[in-house]
Amino acid sequence: MSSSEGVPLAVILSAANEHDVNFILPLVYTKLPRIGCLSGRPREFPSTVRADCGYTSKDVLAVFDMSGIEAEIPQRGKDSEPGLGKRRWPVERCIAWLKQYRRVGTRRDRIAKTYHSFVTLACAMITFKQLTAAQF
């Protein structure tokens, strides 16, 4: 999951044969950092979640709706709303940045902890590059 600028915020690793829709709820509700704001109580969850058609599920949409999270997930068999691709582009760009790192782009490690470490390191490097580019 990434921020609106494409900075990676949270990562969950799974086996290649598991469906993505099983991991969107744990990612949003347990892995994302709490969102601070200027005044008042910090928000617990994001206001909007964007995903591709792989995350289409009526149950997931119902959970997001009950939590007050707007889900921008195109439904299969229906036309997607205009501009969704432009708003989803930072997420795709973040994935492309992650795949630039050789150990992350093609998984060669058999041990999950080793691969997770390299993914976390790649996320940290991307975040560092984004933060230093924003300062100059």
Side-chain angles (χ1 to χ4, degrees):
M1 175 127 335
S2 68
S3 70
S4 62
E5 290 82 28
V7 177
L9 298 175
V11 175
I12 291 180
L13 298 180
S14 66
N17 60 352
E18 294 187 39
H19 200 279
D20 293 341
V21 78
N22 298 332
F23 300 100
I24 191 166
L25 293 177
L27 184 65
V28 170
Y29 289 109
T30 62
K31 294 289 186 177
L32 280 180
R34 299 298 178 235
I35 302 167
C37 55
L38 295 176
S39 62
R41 182 177 170 197
R43 257 189 331 194
E44 295 277 329
F45 306 113
S47 58
T48 306
V49 172
R50 293 183 185 106
D52 59 8
C53 292
Y55 296 95
T56 300
S57 168
K58 291 181 182 179
D59 297 333
V60 169
L61 293 175
V63 170
F64 283 149
D65 190 40
M66 290 184 333
S67 300
I69 298 174
E70 180 185 354
E72 292 184 358
I73 303 173
Q75 301 300 303
R76 291 188 188 112
K78 296 182 182 177
D79 291 336
S80 63
E81 59 185 74
L84 183 59
K86 287 182 180 180
R87 293 189 302 268
R88 188 161 155 63
W89 179 76
V91 177
E92 297 295 336
R93 180 182 63 185
C94 179
I95 293 169
W97 285 341
L98 280 171
K99 289 185 176 186
Q100 285 181 347
Y101 296 96
R102 183 174 177 214
R103 300 283 300 255
V104 175
T106 304
R107 183 175 177 173
R108 294 180 175 93
D109 297 306
R110 291 185 180 264
I111 302 171
K113 285 185 180 181
T114 306
Y115 184 68
H116 188 269
S117 300
F118 279 109
V119 171
T120 304
L121 182 62
C123 289
M125 291 173 69
I126 291 169
T127 304
F128 178 74
K129 287 179 184 179
Q130 287 291 96
L131 290 175
T132 55
Q135 290 178 355
F136 300 110

